[in-house]
Amino acid sequence: QVQLVESGGGLVQAGGSLRLSCAPSGSISRFNIMGWYRQAPGKQREMVSTITRDGITNYANSVKGRFTISGDNARNTVYLQMNSLKPEDTAVYYCYAYANWGAAYAYWGRGTQVTISS
């Protein structure tokens, strides 16, 4: 079974930066889409950013200009560089991956906590 392993969360002050990473455990075929979602306390999970295998990116309006997503197709790895962090970015960040291997598959990581202090 595919597991997505996230790393890079933590506690930083407002204005600081963090870099999240996500990779699958084990060797598997490439995903079609990878990305990041987040869920703050008392709120629904929301899309932060996604990237396709061809490098097409998508961002939530709230993070445009501050976050940058990138991917390493060879390693099936996705990164999220987060700059100019704000207290409202505080959430659990989940890695997401979608694959079409004859059938559709979607995977989620366990989440990594990002906390921004004011």
Side-chain angles (χ1 to χ4, degrees), residues 37-113:
Y37 284 68
R38 67 186 181 187
Q39 187 167 18
K43 295 187 177 182
Q44 290 187 333
R45 189 174 297 189
E46 63 175 0
M47 188 276 293
V48 176
S49 182
T50 60
I51 185 168
T52 70
R53 191 166 60 188
D54 296 327
I56 299 172
T57 59
N58 187 34
Y59 295 93
N61 288 333
S62 59
V63 307
K64 282 182 180 177
R66 301 188 297 122
F67 291 10
T68 302
I69 193 169
S70 60
D72 183 338
N73 284 339
R75 299 181 179 183
N76 247 348
T77 300
V78 64
Y79 307 96
L80 186 67
Q81 178 66 44
M82 305 186 293
N83 298 328
S84 302
L85 285 161
K86 305 175 181 179
E88 51 264 43
D89 293 319
T90 295
V92 177
Y93 284 69
Y94 296 92
C95 180
Y96 166 79
Y98 166 82
N100 189 337
W101 298 323
Y105 296 87
Y107 302 96
W108 292 94
R110 293 185 176 182
T112 184
Q113 178 69 47

Side-chain angles (χ1 to χ4, degrees), residues 1-57:
Q1 185 175 359
V2 176
Q3 293 186 344
L4 299 177
V5 181
E6 302 124 328
S7 61
L11 169 65
V12 297
Q13 290 186 332
S17 299
L18 284 173
R19 186 177 189 241
L20 305 182
S21 300
C22 172
S25 58
S27 177
I28 58 173
S29 299
R30 288 191 301 173
F31 294 117
N32 296 88
I33 300 172
M34 295 190 76
W36 296 92
Y37 284 68
R38 67 186 181 187
Q39 187 167 18
K43 295 187 177 182
Q44 290 187 333
R45 189 174 297 189
E46 63 175 0
M47 188 276 293
V48 176
S49 182
T50 60
I51 185 168
T52 70
R53 191 166 60 188
D54 296 327
I56 299 172
T57 59

